[in-house]
Amino acid sequence: MSVVIVGGNECMTRQYKKLCQSYQCKAKVYLHKTIALKNLGSPDLLILFTNTVSHTMIRCVLSSIRGQDTIIARSHSSSMAALKTILEQYAA
């Protein structure tokens, strides 16, 4: 399963990827608005940590995903517990 995480804490990027690997998921983490956000491809799961990203970044990501069979999960918190809860729900 491919997972794209948008937002979160910069110092926890490696831990996000490691937790996703424990659920047999490949993860990409985008913390800042970049050109790559417009070319996300078609991930199976998109996780938005809404507390740490701007509205324009969320709109950009959602417009690039529109029309695909991507599951979108939103979480206000960007903690490891929040990510684990989302992964248990969708990747288990």
Side-chain angles (χ1 to χ4, degrees):
M1 177 178 227
S2 62
V3 177
V4 172
I5 300 172
V6 177
N9 296 323
E10 197 166 339
C11 61
M12 294 180 63
T13 303
R14 192 171 70 210
Q15 293 162 341
Y16 292 151
K17 289 181 179 182
K18 191 174 181 180
L19 183 62
C20 288
Q21 282 179 349
S22 70
Y23 283 90
Q24 287 79 39
C25 298
K26 284 186 168 185
K28 291 183 181 178
V29 180
Y30 297 100
L31 302 173
H32 306 288
K33 189 172 181 181
T34 62
I35 293 291
L37 283 176
K38 295 187 182 210
N39 304 331
L40 288 178
S42 57
D44 298 318
L45 176 62
L46 172 67
I47 300 173
L48 294 172
F49 290 137
T50 57
N51 193 30
T52 56
V53 294
S54 65
H55 292 285
T56 56
M57 191 169 168
I58 290 173
R59 274 188 256 131
C60 177
V61 169
L62 292 178
S63 69
S64 69
I65 296 292
R66 186 171 294 136
Q68 299 177 8
D69 292 334
T70 301
I71 301 168
I72 300 171
R74 297 175 189 237
S75 175
H76 188 70
S77 171
S78 58
S79 66
M80 290 298 287
L83 179 60
K84 186 175 180 180
T85 301
I86 292 170
L87 290 174
E88 285 176 358
Q89 184 177 2
Y90 295 107

